[in-house]
Amino acid sequence: MNLKSCLAALTTALLACRAAADPAITIHADQPGAAINPAMWGAFFEDINFGADGGLYAELVKNRGFEFPDPLMGWTKISPSLAKGELSVRTDGPFDAKNPHYVRLQSAGSAPFGLSNEGFRGMGVTRDETYDFSARVRLVDGNPTLRLQLYGGDGSLLDSVDVTNLAGGWQKYTAVLHPNDTDPKARLAVLVLGSGTVDVDFISLFPRHTWKNRPGGLRADMVQALADLHPGFLRFPGGCIVEGSVLERRYQWKNTIGPVEERPLLINRWNYEFLHRPTPDYFQSFGLGFFEFFQMCEDIGSQPLPILNCGMACQFNSGELCPVDQLEPYIQDALDLIEFANGPVDSVWGAKRAALGHPEPFHLKLLGVGNEQWGQQYIDRYTKFAAAIKAKYPEVQLVSAAGPDPGDKRFKFAWAKLRELHADIIDEHCYAKPEWFFENTHRYDKYDRTGPKVFMGEYAAQSVAIVSTKNRNTLQCALSEAAYLTGLERNGDVVRMASYAPLYANTEAWQWTPDLIWVDSLNVCRTANYYVQQLYSCNRGDVVLPVNCDGVTRSSAGAESLYASATRDNTAGEIILKVVNPGAAAATVGIHLDGVAQVDPAAIATVVTGHSSDDFNTINHKEKVTPVTSQLDNAAANFSYPFAPRSVTVLRIKAH
Ligand code: AHR
């Protein structure tokens, strides 16, 4: 033995001794366990907090079709003192009977007269970007010009363009605006110049630059943030929004496809759900509809997971039920949705998909029956849905509900019944304090391995309490979620999918906090919780590796001083170790890779941490908690690593 190998052997021996005192993690690399679902870490989208209109859907004009119950909500009459004109809302002879309201502008011509739109708490416009205006216009009399203007929040003119030669009869007019400045609170004005009468409707303004530059598409920065999560699946469109406060207001996917001007407007249930956060201007235009959801899933490589109403309105609201013997239209919606997604182009619904420009199937494999339902009423309805869907599409895996709590009576009842029914996947929800997440990392160790699989479909640590407006996306919450996810990962044979909820929130129009991604009209802020999700989805691995943690302390409630899980990435030939150190001090931990023949000393560490467990990112301070990646050069079969205080760390170690 030469000196070098003597020293190496001594170091290894010393590390092993030290590990006896300090915490030590042993990864049994030669004992691979369950295969991790490639779609394990996903995302949950709901149109809450202005998630769709005023969020992902890039339309800048609010109430573009004048179909809100107050047809002029979001609009202001512009009538300078010299202007003599009249603005009226009418319904006679609309451009589309499905969009009956429009505005008539009658101007005496003494000064420009018209109306302006405030956008979704201001229109975010960027200097020199291109904005596409369109509207349906009908000249009634005279020969006026239509002037379109973008104004900044301070009233400065950002751009102006005239549309001339207006014709009688409804026509679609388009124009392009280029603001000369960036402004988060711009407004769009539509003015009549010269004397005459003009009818206007469906006034729209979109950034030219949208996700994949699709006209009338989605906000590119918001989809990019989602895409960067690499979600294995995308659950949509909710959430309680699926259920509606009453059945008439439930989400009906068939109303969300086809021409946007024909998609019937619906009041958003989050408009009035919380008395402490009323949002009277929150409606669903369905510009982001089911076709767009499927398309987005395809774009970002996520499995679509639509959730459909099962004949039950929200049980926190009316709890209205469709009688079991009248469920047929609901069930038919589910069958038709599968055909819409997967059916051949000569099927009724497959043809509709093809007509929308997507002859290829969307490969729908998962479908949710009801959102957060509970009780025998749910079981009765689920049974009917499952029978009909499985008879026609046995390959589609059904996600069933277990109520809003991860362990109450409703939950236990649902699990017992759904187990008897051999349900495929049960959707568990949990909004609780960070302590709960820290204390329940072994929850799934005890689950029956032969029953239904688990979808941890909605979860988020609440820094104060569920539905408290004081909840923040703190580092502490993110760490507790990271700790909890080690338990999900270790039990990858039972827990097949997981998603944080909700996904997006507009800083000026939210109802629910915390949320994974915060946005304003121009910016996107990724939270500490986002980075935890991203660490998991980007470091999934293919197979679970058993892990032993020694020297770890445990509170009587189950909180631990250190949490760990490991997987193996077969393609990269890497062991992926995830460690959460919730403590205020660094933890130097001995890491032992059992059953490896060779380890590359160069490994990659990605760490999410911050200065204080109360740290959280905001639009103005986006980087209080962000991932930092570095390389280490001492990886070995036995080595030690100093896990930073208040951190979640992913180590990727190449090993044979
Ligand atoms: O994520 C917010 C809400 O929480 C969802 O709409 C609902 O399913 C749950 O109660």
Side-chain angles (χ1 to χ4, degrees):
M1 201 185 255
N2 62 24
L3 184 63
K4 203 171 163 200
S5 46
C6 260
L7 278 175
L10 190 62
T11 311
T12 308
L14 281 173
L15 278 174
C17 287
R18 177 176 185 172
D22 288 342
I25 295 172
T26 304
I27 302 170
H28 301 283
D30 52 350
Q31 296 170 29
I36 303 257
N37 176 10
M40 172 84 173
W41 310 111
F44 162 100
F45 175 85
E46 176 166 16
D47 188 3
I48 184 172
N49 305 318
F50 272 28
D53 291 289
L56 212 44
Y57 186 48
E59 173 64 87
L60 293 172
V61 178
K62 183 168 70 187
N63 191 13
R64 62 187 171 187
F66 304 101
E67 299 302 329
F68 282 18
D70 168 1
L72 291 178
M73 186 178 258
W75 296 94
T76 307
K77 185 160 102 172
I78 300 182
S79 182
S81 52
L82 286 176
K84 288 203 178 69
E86 226 177 89
L87 181 156
S88 53
V89 177
R90 306 174 65 111
T91 53
D92 53 313
F95 83 93
D96 188 324
K98 292 193 172 152
N99 203 297
H101 297 86
Y102 63 90
V103 157
R104 175 159 291 182
L105 299 170
Q106 243 172 321
S107 177
S110 42
F113 170 78
L115 73 179
S116 85
N117 189 274
E118 65 192 22
F120 296 89
R121 314 296 163 97
M123 296 178 180
V125 296
T126 307
R127 182 192 164 113
D128 295 335
E129 285 278 356
T130 303
Y131 291 84
D132 289 311
F133 168 92
S134 67
R136 299 304 201 291
V137 181
R138 173 170 64 186
L139 179 66
V140 180
D141 60 51
N143 187 21
T145 291
L146 211 54
R147 176 160 292 175
L148 318 170
Q149 296 186 315
L150 265 178
Y151 284 95
D154 62 358
S156 56
L157 183 63
L158 301 176
D159 198 13
S160 179
V161 64
D162 288 349
V163 179
T164 53
N165 299 322
L166 301 177
W170 286 108
Q171 305 231 7
K172 182 173 178 177
Y173 289 84
T174 59
V176 170
L177 289 151
H178 292 106
N180 59 21
D181 206 354
T182 296
D183 200 302
K185 295 270 179 200
R187 300 175 67 91
L188 173 73
V190 178
L191 302 163
V192 175
L193 251 73
S195 73
T197 305
V198 178
D199 292 337
V200 285
D201 200 359
F202 221 71
I203 300 172
S204 167
L205 188 70
F206 269 91
R208 174 82 49 94
H209 174 51
T210 57
W211 172 253
K212 301 235 172 244
N213 290 329
R214 292 193 182 110
L218 308 180
R219 235 178 94 168
D221 55 350
M222 287 181 68
V223 184
Q224 190 59 57
L226 176 60
D228 291 346
L229 268 181
H230 298 284
F233 64 89
L234 180 67
R235 168 183 174 157
F236 58 87
C240 292
I241 203 147
V242 168
E243 307 163 41
S245 49
V246 290
L247 282 175
E248 202 194 349
R249 291 183 179 173
R250 70 191 186 276
Y251 195 105
Q252 298 187 61
W253 75 267
K254 288 177 181 166
N255 288 341
T256 75
I257 60 168
V260 282
E261 55 278 9
E262 299 200 340
R263 302 181 189 180
L265 188 89
L266 184 65
I267 187 165
N268 189 306
R269 50 112 55 220
W270 298 107
N271 175 313
Y272 51 84
E273 175 67 13
F274 293 138
L275 291 179
H276 59 282
R277 296 290 301 173
T279 320
D281 54 344
Y282 201 0
F283 290 82
Q284 292 170 269
S285 73
F286 299 112
L288 167 56
F290 261 45
F291 180 78
E292 290 79 16
F293 278 122
F294 279 119
Q295 200 175 36
M296 181 166 66
C297 288
E298 185 175 73
D299 292 344
I300 64 177
S302 305
Q303 279 195 33
L305 168 47
I307 307 282
L308 295 184
N309 187 294
C310 65
M312 300 178 78
C314 183
Q315 288 162 279
F316 289 115
N317 300 144
S318 69
E320 187 187 352
L321 296 172
C322 169
V324 174
D325 60 2
Q326 292 168 33
L327 277 178
E328 195 276 334
Y330 292 76
I331 294 175
Q332 195 57 47
D333 274 358
L335 297 173
D336 291 343
L337 180 65
I338 300 171
E339 187 173 289
F340 177 69
N342 296 350
V345 294
D346 57 359
S347 63
V348 174
W349 287 95
K352 291 187 198 290
R353 182 190 71 242
L356 294 173
H358 203 286
E360 307 79 20
F362 281 121
H363 307 292
L364 177 70
K365 294 181 189 149
L366 297 160
L367 184 66
V369 178
N371 173 44
E372 200 174 59
Q373 322 314 146
W374 65 80
Q376 186 62 42
Q377 305 104 313
Y378 175 65
I379 300 300
D380 294 343
R381 283 157 187 77
Y382 168 79
T383 308
K384 287 263 180 190
F385 269 77
I389 296 169
K390 290 288 183 184
K392 194 160 182 199
Y393 299 107
E395 71 283 8
V396 172
Q397 293 271 294
L398 296 181
V399 170
S400 47
D405 186 278
D408 67 359
K409 269 203 216 148
R410 296 170 288 192
F411 177 89
K412 288 178 187 145
F413 175 84
W415 255 97
K417 293 284 181 183
L418 291 166
R419 186 177 283 116
E420 277 170 25
L421 292 169
H422 304 288
D424 296 322
I425 306 169
I426 299 184
D427 178 12
E428 301 192 352
H429 292 185
C430 181
Y431 298 97
K433 299 270 285 176
E435 291 77 8
W436 186 93
F437 289 91
F438 281 127
E439 290 163 4
N440 283 279
T441 59
H442 291 279
R443 171 183 174 86
Y444 295 108
D445 297 359
K446 302 170 239 101
Y447 264 53
D448 174 6
R449 307 338 255 187
T450 58
K453 302 296 179 198
V454 174
F455 168 31
M456 190 74 211
E458 289 186 31
Y459 66 89
Q462 315 285 299
S463 61
V464 178
I466 187 164
V467 309
S468 166
T469 55
K470 296 197 168 67
N471 285 329
R472 297 287 175 267
N473 284 93
T474 63
L475 175 60
Q476 178 75 350
C477 288
L479 293 178
S480 73
E481 290 151 10
Y484 189 67
L485 298 192
T486 61
L488 269 54
E489 186 172 87
R490 280 189 289 99
N491 289 282
D493 55 333
V494 168
V495 186
R496 302 300 286 165
M497 301 159 75
S499 47
Y500 182 101
L503 182 59
Y504 293 113
N506 183 313
T507 55
E508 300 203 28
W510 56 271
Q511 298 78 43
W512 182 289
T513 179
D515 303 284
L516 204 61
I517 300 169
W518 288 83
V519 306
D520 65 14
S521 65
L522 288 173
N523 301 284
V524 169
C525 168
R526 301 170 190 212
T527 60
N529 318 70
Y530 173 97
Y531 290 119
V532 164
Q533 295 297 312
Q534 195 181 42
L535 274 188
Y536 273 82
S537 55
C538 294
N539 295 286
R540 189 191 72 242
D542 300 304
V543 65
V544 179
L545 297 179
V547 165
N548 285 117
C549 294
D550 297 313
V552 167
T553 61
R554 199 154 199 257
S555 76
S556 54
E560 295 175 9
S561 55
L562 202 75
Y563 302 86
S565 62
T567 59
R568 187 179 72 201
D569 179 331
N570 291 335
T571 318
E574 290 174 350
I575 292 171
I576 304 172
L577 172 64
K578 302 183 180 84
V579 176
V580 180
N581 174 17
T588 298
V589 177
I591 297 170
H592 310 295
L593 309 181
D594 241 25
V596 294
Q598 200 189 329
V599 178
D600 187 338
I604 301 292
T606 307
V607 184
V608 172
T609 185
H611 291 297
S612 143
S613 45
D614 294 333
D615 275 356
F616 60 93
N617 295 341
T618 61
I619 297 271
N620 294 325
H621 299 280
K622 289 190 188 133
E623 302 201 335
K624 283 198 166 179
V625 183
T626 47
V628 174
T629 297
S630 61
Q631 191 164 328
L632 47 148
D633 56 11
N634 68 330
N638 292 296
F639 70 109
S640 71
Y641 184 88
F643 292 98
R646 298 172 294 267
S647 67
V648 46
T649 301
V650 172
L651 295 179
R652 296 193 69 115
I653 306 159
K654 276 204 188 303
H656 298 286

